[in-house]
Amino acid sequence: MYDSRGARSSARASAAAVLGAALLLAGCSSGGGDKNGDSGGRITQQPKAADPFWVNPDGTAARQLTAYTKSGDKTKAEQLRKIAEQPTGEWIGPENPEKEARGFTEAAHKSDRTALLVLYDIPHRDCGQYSQGGAADGNAYRAWIDGVAQGIEDRSAIVILEPDAVLHLADGCTPAQFHEERYDLLKGAIAKLKSLKNTKVYLDAGNPGWGHPDQILQPLQQAGIAQADGFAVNVSNFYSTQDSIAYGKQLSSKLGDKHFVIDTSRNGNGPYTSGDPAQRWCNPPGRALGEPPTTKTADPLVDAYLWVKRPGESDGTCKGGPKAGDWWTSYALALAGNSK
């Protein structure tokens, strides 16, 4: 449902390359955002007071922006800039978690920002759908989490932990024989990441459209939510910020007023309401970018609006899209074009 990093690791996450590009720009990217750009489509950081998260100057959208700028296509370049200039989640791949986590967090540190990392490698993930896969077994997953932690060290990071992992326990999508192990792996991951000096962890908790918060309450508790900084809502989905806040506050009230974050990356026009209900989440047409990432939110329980899903990357091979996680330029332009 979210991302198939194994298929695109060679295309994106050479962390050394990311770090090199970031360090090259670090001298001119520690201040406010560059709204006008230049002939190379240069990307700088957003103002830290409202948006302390790191913008990857070598992300896919940034590279597409540069290509349009160099070719003289100013209209498409300015549309892509709406995505490229915002901080988005860096989905850590399965092969080199330590190297990737170190590259992203070192680059963020050089720019005096916080890295936003998404961990999505739980065994038996996505119930055999578009993003099926994950670590081979529990021991492989523990080693992967250890690698991520070793890469982060004491640098500032926010981690969105395992989209759908708890939700698929609650809705029965994940077979019962895997439940006990998954709870153990999630609790262990939270404990490992929270042992780091400057890492905050938000465990994914579904979205307003899947069911009632009561249905996911006990699974979250079994997965160790008490030890996490909070939970994440609407990851890779399209529900409005207002509805996501309402869902999050219902759940928070049952978890001792636990704080939460909301993925606003593609929720500008709310959810898609046509076609097969089971496929409405997958590359729906007519969607738009949502509120830009910020810590200045509409509710004290909401720690941040984040772009966890990277706008322009496919949900899966539906509605003409490429495989999950692959860049889809036409969809990115549509999201940007439909946004205010």
Side-chain angles (χ1 to χ4, degrees):
M1 181 174 177
Y2 295 105
D3 190 291
S4 56
R5 276 301 307 262
R8 66 189 180 114
S9 58
S10 61
R12 257 206 50 228
S14 169
V18 170
L19 178 57
L23 295 181
L24 181 64
L25 294 175
C28 57
S29 57
S30 59
D34 178 5
K35 300 298 182 184
N36 298 317
D38 60 21
S39 60
R42 179 167 58 87
I43 296 299
T44 60
Q45 304 301 314
Q46 292 290 327
K48 186 178 179 181
D51 185 357
F53 311 110
W54 177 64
V55 178
N56 185 345
D58 192 42
T60 310
R63 293 198 299 270
Q64 184 71 65
L65 165 63
T66 298
Y68 281 139
T69 302
K70 289 181 177 179
S71 70
D73 195 331
K74 293 183 179 179
T75 300
K76 289 182 179 178
E78 285 311 302
Q79 291 298 330
L80 260 295
R81 182 172 290 280
K82 296 177 184 178
I83 297 173
E85 70 182 5
Q86 298 296 340
T88 58
E90 300 294 348
W91 296 62
I92 302 297
E95 296 174 358
N96 296 296
E98 181 177 352
K99 183 179 180 181
E100 289 188 29
R102 178 174 292 111
F104 293 133
T105 55
E106 284 185 352
H109 181 73
K110 289 290 185 178
S111 294
D112 192 28
R113 297 299 193 276
T114 294
L116 175 60
L117 307 179
V118 188
L119 305 190
Y120 186 52
D121 198 40
I122 202 78
H124 319 291
R125 73 181 186 199
D126 206 31
C127 308
Q129 299 182 82
Y130 295 120
S131 296
Q132 63 183 291
D137 55 33
N139 287 336
Y141 184 76
R142 293 182 185 95
W144 186 78
I145 289 291
D146 286 346
V148 172
Q150 290 163 10
I152 296 173
E153 294 183 326
D154 63 353
R155 290 176 289 275
S156 180
I158 284 182
V159 171
I160 307 301
L161 184 63
E162 294 300 339
D164 257 3
V166 178
L167 177 61
H168 283 166
L169 293 171
D171 67 9
C173 184
T174 299
Q177 64 264 35
F178 302 133
H179 286 201
E180 184 177 353
E181 178 188 61
R182 179 167 294 185
Y183 284 127
D184 182 68
L185 294 177
L186 291 171
K187 284 189 292 186
I190 293 170
K192 170 62 72 171
L193 294 165
K194 284 305 299 172
S195 71
L196 303 175
K197 184 178 179 181
N198 292 305
T199 295
K200 290 187 175 181
V201 181
Y202 294 86
L203 181 61
D204 184 65
N207 60 71
W210 84 274
H212 193 276
D214 282 347
Q215 296 171 263
I216 203 171
L217 177 61
Q218 185 176 0
L220 283 171
Q221 292 170 330
Q222 287 183 251
I225 188 64
Q227 283 69 51
D229 292 277
F231 57 91
V233 171
N234 200 46
V235 172
S236 289
N237 223 302
F238 301 85
Y239 290 92
S240 71
T241 301
Q242 181 179 1
D243 287 347
S244 295
I245 290 174
Y247 172 84
K249 290 182 73 172
Q250 279 186 286
L251 190 52
S252 174
S253 69
K254 302 171 186 296
L255 292 169
D257 292 329
K258 206 75 171 175
H259 286 214
F260 58 101
V261 297
I262 299 171
D263 185 354
T264 60
S265 57
R266 306 181 298 175
N267 73 348
N269 284 341
Y272 188 54
T273 57
S274 300
D276 180 1
Q279 289 289 310
R280 286 175 181 170
W281 60 269
C282 191
N283 299 324
R287 300 311 93 197
L289 303 173
E291 288 97 336
T294 183
T295 54
K296 305 292 186 180
T297 70
D299 193 280
L301 287 173
V302 184
D303 286 346
Y305 300 146
L306 303 173
W307 284 12
V308 181
K309 173 70 176 183
R310 301 167 65 84
E313 292 184 356
S314 177
D315 293 314
T317 53
C318 57
K319 302 182 182 69
K323 57 189 173 184
D326 281 3
W327 176 255
W328 190 7
T329 303
S330 60
Y331 198 80
L333 289 170
L335 286 171
N338 291 334
S339 63
K340 297 178 182 179

